[in-house]
Amino acid sequence: QVQLVESGGGLVQPGGSLTLSCVASGIIFALNDMGWYRQAPGKQRELVAAITRTGNTNTADPVKGRFTISRDTRKNTVYLQMNSLKPEDTAVYYCNARGVGNDRGSWGQGTQVTVSS
């Protein structure tokens, strides 16, 4: 059974930083591409950043230069370092995995990030 457990969300002031973590189990982590998505109230879920099994990364334009995705295969964990946070970054952030033995993809339960003064 695939499990993706996100953590690290919370309330932060504009300009602040947070690091999200997603621990994966039930998959061959090294053979899965990983991604972070977010969904704000009333909006569609959107890709924030992705990292392939080989370490290639892709970051959405709204967060480019502020957010960094990384992965640690030894810990089955993917991270999202978020700097210079803005109120428009407020959303529920979801972890996604897709790859060998998980070709339909799997989602975590989400973690709330709120950027407000």
Side-chain angles (χ1 to χ4, degrees), residues 27-46:
I27 60 172
I28 306 172
F29 184 78
L31 298 182
N32 271 253
D33 300 327
M34 304 296 297
W36 285 99
Y37 290 73
R38 68 186 181 187
Q39 187 166 19
K43 294 188 177 181
Q44 289 189 330
R45 191 172 297 189
E46 62 178 3

Side-chain angles (χ1 to χ4, degrees), residues 94-115:
Y94 297 91
C95 178
N96 177 269
R98 179 173 293 184
V100 173
N102 181 37
D103 54 350
R104 292 188 177 184
S106 301
W107 293 93
Q109 81 288 349
T111 185
Q112 177 70 47
V113 172
T114 302
V115 185

